[in-house]
Amino acid sequence: MFENIVKTTEYIKNNTKYNPKVAIILGSGLGDLVNFVEEKEEINYEDIPYFPVSTVAGHAGKLVFGKINNVEVLLMQGRFHFYEGYSMKEVTYPIYVMKQLGIEKLIVTNASGGVNETFEPGTLMIINDFINFMGTNPLIGKNDERFGVRFPDMSEVYSLELIDKAKKVADSLNIAYREGIYMACTGPNYETAAEIRAFKTLGADAVGMSTVPETIVANYLGLKVLGISCITNMATGIQKFKHSHDRVVETAKKASENFCTWVSNIVKEF
Ligand code: HPA
């Protein structure tokens, strides 16, 4: 894998003049942040050697380089989900590439279901910890010490320093946010009501189908991670109607203005 990552990174470096230290993975319905990027350079996933290709509706697959508020950034527009059939190594491949590109700080974002009943659709939640309920792990397999240690520490998976910065920025902009624990399931089905009651007991505030694999690998590689989740719906059993992906994307789009303002100001503080 190391050799593939080196080749992928070479290709990307040859196709951009930028050298960002900050990367952002955009979740469902949160792609509008690309409109905040100036002097954009885009690379389609399908053109990048060894890069997986995204398939889900609503997930464009490209890397976007440029500047937000004069800070060089790399945006991943479209991520790879385990439920699409990618292996955990494929899901997290871009994180290895980011590290090789010189990225130091990663903002992971997603759409999720609210398990904490004091949330409401549209709530923006700083992720302060996760519960991996995917039943697997992206670090399973022979360990390559060039990347990281065999048994990586996960005691501060979301950087307290970055959380503090995100809070200060939100307060200065009068953007409301909550804080909580993100629980990841594989999907692709939404959870049952019984599962959500169980997850609540386990301490989850939000539930979703992404982000945790990328966060694990980012920590393994020594990146600092900030996580922001958009609660697009209340989880099964709390919400009284059935789920629809269209509504998830629609609610995320509504919250997107605050989200974009917030994140574009956070990167200035990094
Ligand atoms: N469950 C899992 N993933 C989600 C949800 C949900 O309710 N909403 C958005 N992504």
Side-chain angles (χ1 to χ4, degrees):
M1 186 158 118
F2 189 84
E3 289 71 25
N4 290 358
I5 290 164
V6 169
K7 285 181 197 149
T8 302
T9 307
E10 256 169 37
Y11 175 87
I12 295 171
K13 284 199 157 156
N14 287 335
N15 281 277
T16 179
K17 61 174 183 284
Y18 292 109
N19 207 354
K21 302 257 180 290
V22 180
I24 307 170
I25 302 179
L26 298 174
S28 302
L30 301 173
D32 282 354
L33 193 68
V34 294
N35 301 328
F36 285 63
V37 183
E38 286 169 323
E39 298 166 56
K40 265 196 247 351
E41 288 179 355
E42 300 184 343
I43 309 176
N44 291 327
Y45 293 163
E46 59 198 17
D47 296 330
I48 307 174
Y50 304 107
F51 222 68
V53 177
S54 184
T55 59
V56 179
H59 293 269
K62 59 187 172 196
L63 297 181
V64 180
F65 287 87
K67 290 181 190 174
I68 296 181
N69 282 323
N70 253 335
V71 179
E72 288 195 13
V73 291
L74 161 58
L75 269 59
M76 255 189 93
Q77 196 177 15
R79 61 148 59 83
F80 306 106
H81 298 90
F82 191 59
Y83 63 72
E84 291 176 86
Y86 297 110
S87 69
M88 276 289 173
K89 288 281 179 253
E90 288 172 314
V91 168
T92 55
Y93 188 81
I95 313 299
Y96 290 89
V97 174
M98 285 174 185
K99 171 74 181 183
Q100 197 71 16
L101 282 169
I103 297 294
E104 293 169 0
K105 290 171 182 151
L106 172 65
I107 306 181
V108 287
T109 71
N110 61 47
S112 68
V115 176
N116 182 328
E117 297 196 32
T118 70
F119 292 175
E120 54 185 52
T123 298
L124 294 174
M125 184 188 92
I126 294 178
I127 308 175
N128 57 21
D129 210 341
F130 69 64
I131 300 173
N132 177 15
F133 207 68
M134 291 183 137
T136 182
N137 191 294
L139 302 179
I140 289 174
K142 194 171 177 309
N143 189 53
D144 186 335
E145 293 281 334
R146 287 173 290 189
F147 295 130
V149 296
R150 173 74 290 188
F151 301 111
D153 180 75
M154 293 282 146
S155 57
E156 192 186 324
V157 277
Y158 297 100
S159 158
L160 294 176
E161 179 201 332
L162 300 190
I163 289 175
D164 194 51
K165 286 183 173 164
K167 287 181 179 175
K168 288 197 171 115
V169 171
D171 291 341
S172 74
L173 295 168
N174 251 324
I175 291 174
Y177 64 88
R178 301 292 301 272
E179 205 177 333
I181 295 168
Y182 177 88
M183 181 144 176
C185 299
T186 63
N189 60 286
Y190 289 102
E191 302 71 30
T192 67
E195 284 170 339
I196 295 301
R197 285 193 297 275
F199 296 172
K200 191 176 170 186
T201 308
L202 291 173
D205 294 293
V207 62
M209 307 174 193
S210 67
T211 304
V212 165
E214 293 108 312
T215 302
I216 290 173
V217 169
N219 274 273
Y220 166 66
L221 297 171
L223 304 184
K224 285 198 185 304
V225 186
L226 175 70
I228 298 178
S229 186
C230 177
I231 310 293
T232 52
N233 56 278
M234 295 312 289
T236 315
I238 302 173
Q239 169 178 289
K240 293 303 170 213
F241 43 88
K242 294 194 173 184
H243 296 298
S244 93
H245 181 63
D246 289 346
R247 198 178 301 114
V248 164
V249 174
E250 196 184 303
T251 308
K253 288 226 153 102
K254 279 190 198 144
S256 160
E257 194 180 324
N258 265 350
F259 167 82
C260 291
T261 308
W262 190 14
V263 173
S264 58
N265 281 283
I266 288 173
V267 297
K268 272 200 298 200
E269 303 302 319
F270 277 11

